Amino acid sequence: MITLIEEIKQGHVWDFHGGIHPPENKRQSSETSILPADIPNEIVLPTKQHIGTAGQLLVNVGDKVLKGQPLTKSDILQCCPVHAPTSGEVVAIEPRTIAHASGLTDNCIVIKPDFEDTWGDKNALPDFREVSDEALIDHVRMMGIAGMGGAGFPAARKLQTGHARTEILIINGAECEPYITADDRLMQERADEIVQGIEILQHIVSPKLTVMALEDNKPEAIDALKLATQGKPDIVVQVVPTKYPSGGEKQLIKLITGKEVPAKAIPAAIGVMMQNVGTVFAIKRAVIDGEPLIERVVTLTGTTLKEQRNRWALLGTPVSFLLDKHGYEPDKKVERVIIGGPMMGYTIPHPNVPVTKVTNCVLVPSRREIAPSEGEMACIRCSACAEACPASLLPQQLQWYAKDQDYDKCEEYNLFDCIECGACAFVCPSEIPLVQYYRQAKSEIRARDAEQQAAERAKERFEAKKARMERDKKAREERHKQAAENRRKAMEKSGEGDAIAAAIARVKAKSENESAATAMKPAVAAAIAKAKAKQAEAAAQGQTEPDNSEMAKLREERKRQARERKAQKASESETENATDDKKDAVAAAIARAKARKAAQQSESEPASDNSAAGEDPKKAAVAAAIARAKARKEAQQVDAATPTADSAPEEQAPIEEDPKKAAVAAAIARAKARKAAQEAEAEAPATDSAPLETPVEEDPKKAAVAAAVARAKARKVAQQEKAEPPTADSAPVEVTPAEDDPKKAAVAAAVARAKARKAAQQAEAEAPAVDVAPVDEAPVEDNPKKAAVAAAVARAKARKAAQQAEVEAPTSEAAPVEDTPVKEDPKKAAVAAAIARAKARKAAQMKNKNEEE
């Protein structure tokens, strides 16, 4: 049976499913030689030009670099370093737009060339056969070589994967994409160097057979390679039919070997490795010449160029620089710059993007050459896409699932086997951009898988940490257990164990005895003994249960006594609280009585002296208030067991539990007493004893209103009398017009108010007072003594304000008093009356002072 290698040597070629035959358009650029590279004014080098991770920067802004000098470094095979294409100065390291289908930006090293093109140190290995495979692979990685066929996979990584497992090495020279001729011209002009690169790869991977695969539309390249491989039986030049996409990795493997690469697998799984001719040439330059990958061949084509041909281009050269070199005249209606061919290429946003390691073609077609899409239309289910798919997929189904974001179905239908060749979109009559849907779906799936992998790694780390903590805990417990065992053995060995055990036993026994003694009280023990005796007696008499009736009676009696003691304690506590509250109220009443008496004395005697001496009546009032406060303080120290006549009404006041509440009750009583006094003044303004005869049963609210009206009228008469013979002692301090001396009249009025308060307190004993807000003071202090002092000061200030108000408007205040809405809120009426009196007193004092001056 003939072997596979013998079939390949005999020229047998297989076929793959699908494929198309688009217009080639290769003759425009393949018939002329490759132009040398020119140095642009600025070089922009992306730090990542391959599949994998970017390297670590080795230069900074302002550094001078030489040609071939490494600019980045990395220690992993999945990363390719970047080297300086020419000598110059690093002027910036910043994000720039790169050649990407989405027009993304990436970190780039910007070099300003010095146009001297000075080389740095070269690290060549001309005797590569004397170097180990691992050293050669690492040398290829350090030279920054990546796949130059379009994918950009790191060459060192691919060599490491296929090392010692490759049977057939395939060099891909098919170059099936329309318009692109870079590999064709390279094979025609550098066939000998390509063969040298093949020998390096053979030394590394040791294949059984090496095949150079070319399409039959490249006769010049085929002849050049056959000439270069003469006398090398292990290298076969194989010609395959021209069909797109025969240059795809899996498709070319099927053409050469007849084998299919499994889904989600790599060619190394079936013993095959593939390298592009441009990658092989770069490996030769890196190993034998010591030159890193700093330039490549780029096809410049399209009818908008005056000259279409291939050119060597330094990596990082702006595309606009190359287009200007070839006479680019953009289409005025549709300006397009495509990186790659018309099938797998992508349009860039502007021509100022740099050339990278995977840039094999720059296509600038006119509108007539490649007509723009007229827009996506509905699918007609013609199945042309499925027939053209070289990967035997169902493009229509994949597009539906990708559009619906059903990524699980996309994976189920082997979306990642799609090579994005564009054959399905090329044959679609509805012009559906199928490849764009597939690229988007792949990107979303990769992102989702990355998140899932991160979550899995986090879960694994958490579980590993949890397991480690469990192990540490068990190890710690084992250590403690072992230490205790060692201590026990040591004590047993030294004889201390028995003594310790005996001591522990004694402590336990003692604690048990103490607990039993504590729990067993003498009475309880006697009761238990008595109960046991009864049980024994009952058992002796033949009874099943003893007679416990007497014990039951005793228990009931004890319960009754306990209840009585409890009730007696509760009543005693209530009586004590009531007694304390009563004593507090009595003390407050005594203090108020003494304060009033002191105030009357201070007003009758010192007030006359002070007025004769010309002293200010305001200061006299303040002094009287202070005297009253001191009197109250002294009265509170008197024994509460001997209540006076003034305290009797206070005992009838509602008793509160807290001293603050007692002070509030006292203030309420004073407010009601003032209302009764005002009623007495309204009936008999000239008589001091009239408030004592005031009927207690009358409504105090109406009495307050009547008193206010009477005072207003009295003030009006007093002012009329003052207008004729004004004197210094004519201040109306809440007195009747019949008095000659205003100070004595004030004293008489104070006495009348005191008597009225007593009558009001008696009335409160018969009808409990309502919760009226205190007019003159609000006892917010914790100590009732302080509350009394504050109330006295407040009353003094109120009298001053009343005197001043009487001077300004003596007649106008009567009407508002009469119109006071007493029916709505009696509390507010009382407050309004007190405020009016205070303002009137203050106005009168001011007027008297002015007259004296």
Side-chain angles (χ1 to χ4, degrees):
M1 183 178 179
I2 189 171
T3 63
L4 176 62
I5 293 177
E6 291 175 352
E7 285 188 85
I8 295 172
K9 287 182 178 181
Q10 292 177 4
H12 184 76
V13 176
W14 286 262
D15 194 9
F16 61 88
H17 178 271
I20 57 176
H21 295 83
E24 295 180 5
N25 293 315
K26 292 179 179 288
R27 289 296 174 183
Q28 300 94 310
S29 58
S30 64
E31 294 180 351
T32 54
S33 61
I34 303 173
L35 294 173
D38 287 337
I39 302 175
N41 295 325
E42 183 182 64
I43 290 178
V44 181
L45 282 171
T47 57
K48 180 182 175 183
Q49 303 181 30
H50 56 277
I51 295 176
T53 58
Q56 182 181 356
L57 290 173
L58 295 176
V59 294
N60 296 314
V61 177
D63 292 350
K64 299 289 185 179
V65 295
L66 298 174
K67 187 175 183 179
Q69 178 181 336
L71 305 178
T72 62
K73 69 174 183 177
S74 179
D75 296 330
I76 60 175
L77 293 174
Q78 199 68 19
C79 177
C80 293
V82 177
H83 299 76
T86 186
S87 59
E89 180 184 358
V90 178
V91 295
I93 300 175
E94 59 187 10
R96 293 286 187 95
T97 305
I98 62 173
H100 191 273
S102 299
L104 300 177
T105 60
D106 198 1
N107 197 33
C108 299
I109 302 171
V110 183
I111 299 175
K112 184 178 180 181
D114 57 8
F115 298 99
E116 295 180 2
D117 206 28
T118 305
W119 271 97
D121 295 335
K122 293 184 178 181
N123 183 15
L125 300 174
D127 299 330
F128 62 88
R129 289 182 176 85
E130 304 297 329
V131 181
S132 65
D133 301 341
E134 290 77 9
L136 285 175
I137 293 174
D138 188 65
H139 184 77
V140 169
R141 180 185 66 83
M142 295 297 295
M143 291 299 174
I145 299 174
M148 302 175 67
F153 195 83
R157 178 64 176 171
K158 184 178 286 189
L159 291 174
Q160 183 69 34
T161 304
H163 184 256
R165 56 188 297 191
T166 300
E167 295 182 356
I168 299 175
L169 175 63
I170 300 176
I171 308 302
N172 186 354
E175 199 173 35
C176 59
E177 180 90 8
Y179 285 95
I180 303 177
T181 60
D183 292 344
D184 185 7
R185 289 307 310 179
L186 185 63
M187 288 185 290
Q188 292 181 40
E189 298 181 14
R190 304 294 180 92
D192 294 335
E193 295 183 70
I194 292 173
V195 172
Q196 285 182 298
I198 293 173
E199 292 175 351
I200 296 172
L201 292 178
Q202 288 177 333
H203 175 72
I204 295 174
V205 298
S206 302
K208 295 180 180 179
L209 179 65
T210 301
V211 180
M212 293 201 62
L214 292 83
E215 285 186 330
D216 55 11
N217 60 353
K218 302 175 180 60
E220 295 84 358
I222 294 171
D223 294 340
L225 288 174
K226 286 183 176 180
L227 181 62
T229 57
Q230 286 182 356
K232 300 181 184 300
D234 53 348
I235 302 177
V236 177
V237 178
Q238 186 67 277
V239 180
V240 298
T242 301
K243 184 171 71 168
Y244 182 83
S246 60
E249 185 178 56
K250 293 183 178 181
Q251 286 69 39
L252 190 57
I253 290 174
K254 181 65 181 296
L255 286 172
I256 299 300
T257 65
K259 295 182 178 181
E260 289 187 0
V261 180
K264 299 180 181 180
I266 58 176
I270 59 174
V272 179
M273 175 184 290
M274 180 176 290
Q275 294 286 357
N276 181 265
V277 293
T279 307
V280 174
F281 178 77
I283 290 174
K284 179 265 172 186
R285 297 276 294 268
V287 175
I288 296 177
D289 302 327
E291 298 179 4
L293 180 56
I294 58 175
E295 63 179 359
R296 68 156 299 145
V297 181
V298 179
T299 301
L300 298 166
T301 183
T303 56
T304 58
L305 295 176
K306 292 182 179 179
E307 184 182 18
Q308 303 182 41
R309 61 188 302 180
N310 292 279
R311 171 184 287 275
W312 286 99
L314 298 177
L315 301 183
T317 302
V319 171
S320 58
F321 175 81
L322 300 177
L323 296 178
D324 293 340
K325 287 288 184 180
H326 290 256
Y328 174 54
E329 294 181 358
D331 193 317
K332 295 181 180 180
K333 292 184 178 181
V334 180
E335 181 179 359
R336 287 175 295 173
V337 178
I338 301 172
I339 300 297
M343 302 299 295
M344 299 183 68
Y346 50 88
T347 304
I348 56 178
H350 55 79
N352 290 326
V353 300
V355 173
T356 61
K357 297 176 182 179
V358 295
T359 305
N360 54 3
C361 177
V362 178
L363 174 61
V364 282
S366 63
R367 182 171 54 86
R368 293 182 179 180
E369 186 176 10
I370 300 178
S373 174
E374 296 181 359
E376 178 182 349
M377 294 178 285
C379 176
I380 61 174
R381 301 183 182 181
C382 62
S383 72
C385 56
E387 295 175 358
C389 180
S392 300
L393 301 177
L394 297 175
Q396 178 187 5
Q397 294 293 115
L398 288 172
Q399 189 259 344
W400 285 348
Y401 294 134
K403 195 173 183 179
D404 193 42
Q405 298 183 357
D406 190 351
Y407 301 127
D408 292 333
K409 279 291 186 180
C410 289
E411 291 188 278
E412 182 180 343
Y413 278 78
N414 299 321
L415 173 64
F416 283 92
D417 285 348
C418 173
I419 62 173
E420 301 178 14
C421 64
C424 54
F426 180 81
V427 300
C428 180
S430 298
E431 298 187 7
I432 300 174
L434 298 169
V435 177
Q436 296 183 16
Y437 285 106
Y438 304 154
R439 287 174 178 168
Q440 177 67 21
K442 287 180 179 180
S443 177
E444 294 293 338
I445 292 172
R446 290 190 185 101
R448 184 190 65 179
D449 291 347
E451 292 179 0
Q452 186 176 359
Q453 290 175 3
E456 290 293 335
R457 286 194 296 269
K459 183 179 179 181
E460 290 176 0
R461 290 196 301 270
F462 173 75
E463 291 178 352
K465 179 182 177 181
K466 187 177 179 181
R468 185 178 67 254
M469 293 176 67
E470 290 292 335
R471 290 194 304 269
D472 294 344
K473 182 179 179 181
K474 290 181 179 178
R476 190 164 53 252
E477 291 176 353
E478 289 293 333
R479 287 197 302 271
H480 293 168
K481 185 177 179 181
Q482 186 64 32
E485 184 68 19
N486 293 338
R487 286 195 300 271
R488 186 183 64 79
K489 291 180 179 180
M491 286 188 296
E492 290 179 355
K493 186 175 181 180
S494 62
E496 296 178 358
D498 297 337
I500 294 173
I504 293 172
R506 285 196 301 273
V507 170
K508 288 183 178 180
K510 185 177 179 182
S511 62
E512 291 176 358
N513 294 334
E514 289 178 354
S515 61
T518 302
M520 187 68 70
K521 293 182 179 180
V524 177
I528 293 173
K530 196 180 295 183
K532 290 182 177 181
K534 287 184 178 180
Q535 288 179 357
E537 184 179 356
Q541 294 177 3
Q543 298 178 0
T544 57
E545 294 182 358
D547 185 9
N548 294 327
S549 58
E550 293 181 1
M551 293 296 294
K553 291 179 181 180
L554 290 174
R555 280 197 297 271
E556 292 294 333
E557 182 65 20
R558 285 197 297 271
K559 289 181 181 178
R560 184 185 63 77
Q561 293 176 358
R563 286 194 296 271
E564 290 179 355
R565 285 195 299 271
K566 187 175 181 182
Q568 184 178 359
K569 288 181 180 179
S571 62
E572 289 177 356
S573 62
E574 292 178 358
T575 304
E576 290 176 359
N577 293 336
T579 303
D580 293 340
D581 295 338
K582 289 180 180 179
K583 289 181 179 181
D584 294 338
V586 170
I590 293 171
R592 284 195 297 276
K594 291 185 177 181
R596 293 190 193 102
K597 187 175 181 180
Q600 291 172 1
Q601 293 176 358
S602 62
E603 289 176 358
S604 59
E605 297 176 2
S608 59
D609 297 338
N610 294 337
S611 62
E615 189 176 354
D616 190 1
K618 297 181 182 180
K619 295 182 179 179
V622 173
I626 295 171
R628 286 196 300 275
K630 292 180 179 180
R632 290 191 187 112
K633 184 175 181 181
E634 294 175 357
Q636 288 174 355
Q637 298 176 357
V638 180
D639 188 6
T642 58
T644 61
D646 292 340
S647 65
E650 292 293 328
E651 294 177 0
Q652 304 297 329
I655 298 173
E656 300 292 338
E657 295 179 358
D658 191 81
K660 298 181 182 179
K661 295 182 179 179
V664 173
I668 294 171
R670 287 197 299 276
K672 291 183 177 180
R674 292 192 188 98
K675 293 179 183 178
Q678 292 169 359
E679 181 181 356
E681 290 175 1
E683 293 179 357
T687 306
D688 295 340
S689 60
L692 295 174
E693 297 175 1
T694 301
V696 181
E697 293 80 11
E698 190 173 354
D699 189 0
K701 301 176 183 178
K702 295 180 179 179
V705 175
V709 173
R711 280 196 303 278
K713 291 179 180 179
R715 293 186 189 113
K716 186 175 181 182
V717 175
Q719 290 173 359
Q720 290 176 359
E721 292 177 355
K722 285 186 231 174
E724 297 176 359
T727 61
D729 298 333
S730 60
V733 186
E734 204 173 352
V735 297
T736 59
E739 296 292 337
D740 294 332
D741 190 355
K743 297 180 180 179
K744 293 181 180 181
V747 173
V751 174
R753 284 197 299 276
K755 293 179 179 180
R757 291 189 189 107
K758 294 178 182 179
Q761 291 170 357
Q762 293 176 359
E764 289 175 8
E766 297 176 3
V770 296
D771 294 336
V772 180
V775 176
D776 291 334
E777 70 267 357
V780 298
E781 299 291 336
D782 295 338
N783 195 344
K785 299 178 183 179
K786 295 182 181 179
V789 174
V793 174
R795 284 197 299 276
K797 292 182 179 179
R799 291 192 188 97
K800 294 177 185 179
Q803 292 171 0
Q804 185 178 359
E806 288 176 359
V807 175
E808 295 177 355
T811 58
S812 59
E813 292 179 1
V817 174
E818 293 176 357
D819 297 337
T820 302
V822 297
K823 293 182 180 180
E824 295 180 2
D825 191 352
K827 299 179 183 180
K828 294 182 179 178
V831 173
I835 293 171
R837 286 197 305 276
K839 291 183 179 179
R841 292 182 189 126
K842 189 173 182 180
Q845 288 178 355
M846 293 296 294
K847 183 177 180 181
N848 293 337
K849 186 176 181 180
N850 294 333
E851 290 175 355
E852 290 174 359
E853 293 176 354

